[in-house]
């Protein structure tokens, strides 16, 4: 059977391409696919225990059986209704979320979310800083498994609405090259009460950094590296 494999972050660099079409034996599992890459690439082996896998844009366990035509994502640990201007920027969009390539219109998005019944609007912006561990940074480059990322972002927004009982949420992430001081991610939470808005906003960004398949590459005067990601949560199964 033939499957499509998508590789991201440092895995893409190790294999030398962002995707491959592979022929596998019927009944092969995700763990067999990971073992295949571990045998082919020595630099892949140390990462095998820390990556996550997806089948057809859904996280999947190592024991999952593959089928003809499946799209498999090999994912290293992740980094991480709008107004008219925001809609024109979006390359992917869901009810509460968007992925964009251009500057995030923070003020317009926040204003569009406000309603008379709100007592609080909490805004979080992730900003590109000028150093990493004291090492001067030139710029960042963000990439994503885009269709899976927008789905995971929408799940976060829906979970926040239910868990924290806030009225509305917007979650916007930018991809591509970002300069120092530019906004990479925007979260806006509108709620009757400030406590719930703050808690929801903090939970969204902390969870996004662990589960949404978005990665960043940091550029310095003497080279570039993929940023170290946080470990995947325990409920996201990983190959062993």
């Amino acid at each position: 059977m033939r499957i499509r494999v998508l590789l991201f972050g440092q895995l893409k660099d190790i294999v030398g391409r962002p995707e491959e079409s592979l022929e596998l034996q019927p009944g092969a599992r995700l763990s067999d696919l990971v073992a295949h890459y571990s045998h082919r690439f020595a630099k892949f082996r140390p990462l095998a225990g820390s990556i996550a896998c997806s089948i057809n844009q859904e996280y999947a366990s190592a024991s999952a059986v593959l089928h003809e035509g499946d799209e498999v994502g090999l994912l290293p640990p992740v980094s991480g209704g709008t107004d008219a201007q925001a809609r024109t920027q979006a390359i992917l969009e869901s009810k509460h979320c968007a992925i964009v390539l251009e500057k995030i219109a923070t003020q317009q998005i926040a204003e569009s979310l406000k309603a008379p019944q709100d007592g609080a609007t909490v805004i979080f912006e992730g900003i590109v800083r000028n150093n990493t561990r004291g090492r001067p940074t030139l710029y960042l480059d963000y990439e994503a498994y885009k269709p899976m990322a927008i789905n995971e972002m929408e799940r976060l927004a829906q979970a926040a609405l239910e868990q924290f009982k806030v009225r509305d949420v917007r979650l916007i992430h930018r991809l591509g090259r970002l300069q120092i001081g530019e906004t990479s991610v925007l979260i806006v939470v509108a709620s009757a009460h400030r406590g719930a808005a703050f808690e929801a906003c903090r939970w969204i960004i902390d969870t996004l950094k662990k589960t949404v398949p978005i990665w960043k590459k940091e550029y310095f005067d003497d080279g570039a590296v993929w940023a170290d990601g946080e470990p995947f949560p325990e409920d996201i199964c990983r190959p062993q």
Side-chain angles (χ1 to χ4, degrees):
M1 65 178 177
R2 185 163 291 276
I3 65 168
R4 182 188 182 200
V5 181
L6 305 180
L7 302 111
F8 299 91
Q10 60 265 52
L11 303 182
K12 174 183 67 176
D13 291 349
I14 290 170
V15 175
R17 57 182 65 88
E19 67 176 84
E20 291 190 313
S21 179
L22 291 183
E23 190 74 31
L24 299 176
Q25 293 296 321
R29 300 176 184 272
L30 269 177
S31 55
D32 299 321
L33 178 64
V34 173
H36 166 84
Y37 280 101
S38 293
H39 290 143
R40 281 178 60 190
F41 302 97
K43 291 184 178 179
F44 191 100
R45 293 170 202 154
L47 301 173
S50 63
I51 68 173
C53 300
S54 65
I55 299 177
N56 301 325
Q57 302 169 19
E58 298 281 347
Y59 283 113
S61 69
S63 61
V65 177
L66 298 170
H67 300 92
E68 176 72 30
D70 278 345
E71 179 182 284
V72 175
L74 298 182
L75 316 173
V78 299
S79 353
T82 58
D83 65 357
Q85 180 178 357
R87 281 198 297 273
T88 60
Q89 292 177 355
I91 57 172
L92 280 177
E93 201 167 14
S94 63
K95 183 176 181 181
H96 300 94
C97 307
I99 293 175
V100 302
L101 292 177
E102 303 300 330
K103 182 179 179 180
I104 296 176
T106 297
Q107 197 60 41
Q108 294 94 322
I109 294 168
E111 288 296 327
S112 73
L113 201 65
K114 293 179 181 178
Q117 63 267 41
D118 296 330
T121 299
V122 171
I123 300 170
F124 170 83
E125 290 186 87
I127 307 297
V128 178
R129 61 176 177 266
N130 65 3
N131 74 91
T132 299
R133 303 182 188 90
R135 188 180 182 189
T137 303
L138 300 179
Y139 57 87
L140 302 181
D141 215 334
Y142 282 86
E143 73 166 37
Y145 187 1
K146 292 188 284 289
M148 185 174 177
I150 196 71
N151 290 339
E152 291 297 320
M153 288 164 63
E154 182 63 29
R155 287 180 183 177
L156 287 185
Q158 295 287 355
L161 291 168
E162 180 177 349
Q163 181 176 340
F164 299 97
K165 309 303 180 186
V166 294
R167 185 187 62 80
D168 209 350
V169 171
R170 290 293 180 273
L171 174 53
I172 317 293
H173 208 298
R174 184 176 169 186
L175 303 181
R177 179 172 295 189
L178 274 72
Q179 303 297 330
I180 305 304
E182 292 189 314
T183 298
S184 60
V185 59
L186 170 70
I187 300 169
V188 184
V189 180
S191 173
H193 304 288
R194 66 181 183 274
F198 276 114
E199 291 172 5
C201 194
R202 177 62 181 265
W203 178 83
I204 291 171
I205 188 59
D206 287 350
T207 309
L208 179 148
K209 289 290 186 178
K210 297 178 181 178
T211 65
V212 177
I214 296 175
W215 301 271
K216 67 180 178 182
K217 198 169 191 177
E218 301 170 321
Y219 286 79
F220 310 97
D221 283 329
D222 56 352
V225 296
W226 290 99
D228 293 333
E230 298 184 40
F232 286 102
E234 290 302 318
D235 59 349
I236 295 179
C237 298
R238 298 179 294 282
Q240 300 298 325

